[in-house]
Amino acid sequence: MTHAGAPLLRSIEILDQHGTRRSLQIPAERPLTVFIDKRELVTLMTLGARPELLVLGYLLNQRLIDRLEDVQAISVDWDVDAAAVSTRAGVVDLQARTARRTVTTGCGQGTVFGDAQEALDAIRLPDARAARITQGQLYALLDTLRQRDSVHRRAGSVHGCALFKGTRMLVFAEDVGRHNAIDTIAGWMLVHGVDGANKVFFTTGRLTSEMVIKAAQMGVPIVVSRNGVTAMGHDLATRLGMSLFGRAGNRHFLCYTGFERFDAEPEPAPDAHPVRAVSG
Amino acid sequence: MTHAGAPLLRSIEILDQHGTRRSLQIPAERPLTVFIDKRELVTLMTLGARPELLVLGYLLNQRLIDRLEDVQAISVDWDVDAAAVSTRAGVVDLQARTARRTVTTGCGQGTVFGDAQEALDAIRLPDARAARITQGQLYALLDTLRQRDSVHRRAGSVHGCALFKGTRMLVFAEDVGRHNAIDTIAGWMLVHGVDGANKVFFTTGRLTSEMVIKAAQMGVPIVVSRNGVTAMGHDLATRLGMSLFGRAGNRHFLCYTGFERFDAEPEPAPDAHPVRAVSG
């Protein structure tokens, strides 16, 4: 596996409302065409931070590979914007399995080959006793993310994802699309043999159907977003017994579903705030 | 053409940081499988507000149709989540033209069939004398958007797009993906025979490569976003002579490129604000 990271930021000159010209950093975006056993599969638009893990996670989340052993080598060359994947035994029925397309609401990976929902019925997440989160752990996790440097902090316009064990962040990934970011984390989990069952997944992106599907495929029962949820994301998570938290920021959040995994430590309600005495 | 609008909102019960359970509205998300002359093309995940215009704009932006006359009928049936498109003469080489996939950074339509960039070289936008925007027009346009009711205001988690002539909003579209929203507007333009040359396109989404490509394909020379830009979006817009404005909100914005189309009416710089006299 190569380690072909690419420059993530660029400076441009902008004009603001004061008529001032100044320089600003923006995130890179570059095409990465994936070839699997010399056959062109797809072109991903990516930030380019960890392309090998992205490609690996992409293949896994598209269910084109099942195990790390299926892949012999992944070689990324930015001179030609290409990722060459060689498999040990080939991908059975690649043509047929990539024929059906679902264009999802995903930023950065809006396509799912085949019927992803078929795979959902096979997914068994750990029960609510085995995988839980407390309100304090949720706050700690959000504090960790707030304190970390990121492309988003410097340049905006990227999505971030992270995987936590308790309140410890195991891996953080950013990309121009939230789907590339989650796939990069899936690739990291595969390479490091990390199981999702006792983990919490965080994303800055919305909890649409396929974000929930991907988290479920990764075996993660608790998902936290800085953003909101769609009806289909909510349906799927409820059906899978997954906990979804959204609008999660500094000491505020909404638990959308899967209350049974959550140990609330309620904040005082606004009207219960102590009133400061006024002198005189 | 049918008019198969579907319910856009759903109420769910959530649990907040105060331990309070209350109801919240979230946007719908539903699959819409597009059949073209009885052949399955793609499944779009959509809010479902204006599916016929979405499908029409999708086919146009994918360059599977060129003119309204190419389409005989579009019939959407939510009982089977399907859109049946019949063309007058068929789509030449449909198989080949849909074989190559680019998974873009798009929310809601992260796929482009074929090499969209080939088509860019054919695009000629009006010059900077013919298509301009003043700072006052930009503010007026943002005010109009701020004042309008929307799914986003009620439920969040959707992207919005609008097309303006001067400061007059011609059409507004929302969807779970910013790409469905822009395609819906492309469909509206095609149905109403509206040309993009003297228009301004607004999106809540980021200005990534394929958002710029789509706006250019629609012939719109000025694009405004509430969000940011990627390096590739910036490159393409610069190459096409398009003006991009981002981070656009209440009396603030960044002009990323295409300064020559913009008539600045600078706000007083922060340090130029009048200093309030302090008595005593």
Side-chain angles (χ1 to χ4, degrees):
Chain A
M1 198 156 93
T2 53
H3 294 283
L8 304 185
L9 296 174
R10 181 195 301 177
S11 277
I12 62 168
E13 188 191 45
I14 61 95
L15 176 69
D16 70 14
Q17 66 272 14
H18 305 297
T20 308
R21 290 195 187 210
R22 54 190 167 88
S23 91
L24 180 84
Q25 288 190 307
I26 59 175
E29 180 190 5
R30 43 178 65 88
L32 181 64
T33 301
V34 180
F35 295 84
I36 185 159
D37 297 325
K38 300 198 166 66
R39 279 218 358 232
E40 180 173 341
L41 177 65
V42 71
T43 298
L44 306 171
M45 301 302 298
T46 177
L47 180 65
R50 285 192 277 188
E52 296 83 4
L53 293 180
L54 167 61
V55 169
L56 193 61
Y58 178 83
L59 296 176
L60 182 70
N61 280 341
Q62 301 295 342
R63 299 187 314 287
L64 295 173
I65 61 169
D66 300 318
R67 306 170 354 270
L68 188 59
E69 295 63 40
D70 296 342
V71 177
Q72 196 160 42
I74 299 180
S75 162
V76 171
D77 181 351
W78 286 121
D79 294 339
V80 289
D81 292 335
V85 180
S86 55
T87 65
R88 292 204 191 281
V91 176
V92 178
D93 229 354
L94 182 62
Q95 188 73 58
R97 290 169 70 181
T98 58
R100 292 192 61 204
R101 269 184 301 279
T102 299
V103 178
T104 65
T105 54
C107 302
Q109 186 171 313
T111 188
V112 177
F113 293 128
D115 182 355
Q117 302 207 23
E118 282 165 6
L120 288 182
D121 303 329
I123 293 171
R124 296 281 172 273
L125 297 174
D127 70 26
R129 288 183 311 282
R132 323 182 48 77
I133 185 169
T134 70
Q135 192 157 339
Q137 287 169 334
L138 180 58
Y139 286 167
L141 168 163
L142 293 166
D143 287 340
T144 301
L145 286 159
R146 201 162 34 246
Q147 285 154 23
R148 114 171 240 120
D149 184 34
S150 64
V151 170
H152 185 271
R153 180 172 294 180
R154 281 173 285 155
S157 296
V158 292
H159 276 295
C161 284
L163 190 71
F164 286 84
K165 181 173 185 175
T167 59
R168 186 163 59 90
M169 183 159 67
L170 302 178
V171 58
F172 176 77
E174 287 178 303
D175 209 310
V176 281
R178 62 197 161 111
H179 279 267
N180 289 348
I182 190 173
D183 285 349
T184 302
I185 288 192
W188 181 90
M189 290 170 75
L190 190 63
V191 165
H192 294 85
V194 172
D195 169 27
N198 57 347
K199 307 298 187 302
V200 177
F201 177 74
F202 169 86
T203 173
T204 58
R206 289 171 298 150
L207 300 170
T208 54
S209 55
E210 83 293 4
M211 285 298 278
V212 169
I213 289 169
K214 287 190 174 186
Q217 284 177 336
M218 290 154 64
V220 179
I222 300 170
V223 176
V224 179
S225 171
R226 187 168 295 156
N227 215 311
V229 68
T230 64
M232 201 165 169
H234 184 266
D235 288 345
L236 287 165
T238 304
R239 178 174 138 201
L240 289 161
M242 184 184 281
S243 288
L244 290 187
F245 296 85
R247 307 284 174 208
N250 185 17
R251 306 186 78 76
H252 61 82
F253 63 85
L254 305 173
C255 183
Y256 292 127
T257 187
F259 302 165
E260 68 279 2
R261 294 186 185 279
F262 180 57
D263 298 310
E265 297 152 0
E267 299 274 323
D271 50 53
H273 281 158
V275 178
R276 184 179 300 153
V278 178
S279 63
Chain B
M1 201 156 90
T2 53
H3 293 283
L8 305 185
L9 296 173
R10 182 195 302 178
S11 278
I12 61 167
E13 188 192 45
I14 61 94
L15 176 69
D16 70 14
Q17 66 271 15
H18 304 296
T20 309
R21 290 197 186 209
R22 54 190 167 89
S23 92
L24 180 84
Q25 288 191 307
I26 59 175
E29 180 189 5
R30 44 177 67 87
L32 181 65
T33 300
V34 180
F35 294 84
I36 185 159
D37 297 325
K38 298 199 166 65
R39 274 209 13 220
E40 180 173 340
L41 176 65
V42 70
T43 299
L44 306 172
M45 302 302 298
T46 178
L47 180 64
R50 286 190 279 189
E52 296 84 5
L53 294 180
L54 166 61
V55 169
L56 192 62
Y58 177 84
L59 296 175
L60 182 70
N61 280 341
Q62 300 296 341
R63 301 187 312 288
L64 296 173
I65 61 169
D66 301 318
R67 308 172 349 273
L68 188 58
E69 294 65 38
D70 296 342
V71 176
Q72 195 160 40
I74 299 180
S75 161
V76 171
D77 180 352
W78 287 120
D79 293 337
V80 289
D81 292 333
V85 180
S86 56
T87 64
R88 293 205 191 282
V91 177
V92 179
D93 229 357
L94 182 61
Q95 186 73 58
R97 289 168 72 180
T98 59
R100 293 193 60 204
R101 270 186 301 279
T102 298
V103 178
T104 66
T105 54
C107 302
Q109 186 170 311
T111 190
V112 177
F113 293 129
D115 183 354
Q117 302 206 26
E118 282 164 7
L120 288 182
D121 304 328
I123 293 170
R124 297 281 171 271
L125 297 174
D127 69 26
R129 290 182 308 282
R132 321 182 50 75
I133 186 169
T134 70
Q135 192 157 338
Q137 287 169 334
L138 180 57
Y139 286 168
L141 169 164
L142 293 166
D143 287 339
T144 301
L145 287 159
R146 203 164 32 249
Q147 285 154 22
R148 102 169 251 126
D149 184 34
S150 64
V151 171
H152 185 271
R153 179 172 293 179
R154 279 173 286 157
S157 295
V158 293
H159 276 295
C161 283
L163 190 71
F164 286 84
K165 181 172 186 176
T167 59
R168 186 163 59 92
M169 183 160 66
L170 302 178
V171 58
F172 177 78
E174 287 178 303
D175 210 311
V176 282
R178 62 197 162 112
H179 279 268
N180 289 349
I182 189 172
D183 285 348
T184 301
I185 290 197
W188 181 91
M189 289 170 76
L190 189 63
V191 165
H192 294 85
V194 172
D195 170 27
N198 58 345
K199 307 298 188 302
V200 177
F201 177 74
F202 170 85
T203 173
T204 58
R206 288 169 298 149
L207 301 170
T208 54
S209 54
E210 83 294 4
M211 284 298 278
V212 169
I213 289 170
K214 287 190 175 186
Q217 286 177 335
M218 290 155 63
V220 180
I222 300 170
V223 176
V224 179
S225 170
R226 188 169 293 157
N227 215 309
V229 69
T230 64
M232 202 165 169
H234 184 266
D235 289 346
L236 288 165
T238 304
R239 179 175 139 200
L240 290 161
M242 185 184 280
S243 288
L244 292 187
F245 297 84
R247 306 286 172 206
N250 186 17
R251 306 187 77 78
H252 60 83
F253 62 86
L254 304 174
C255 183
Y256 292 127
T257 188
F259 301 165
E260 68 280 3
R261 295 187 185 277
F262 179 57
D263 298 309
E265 297 152 1
E267 300 273 323
D271 49 54
H273 282 156
V275 178
R276 183 177 300 154
V278 177
S279 62

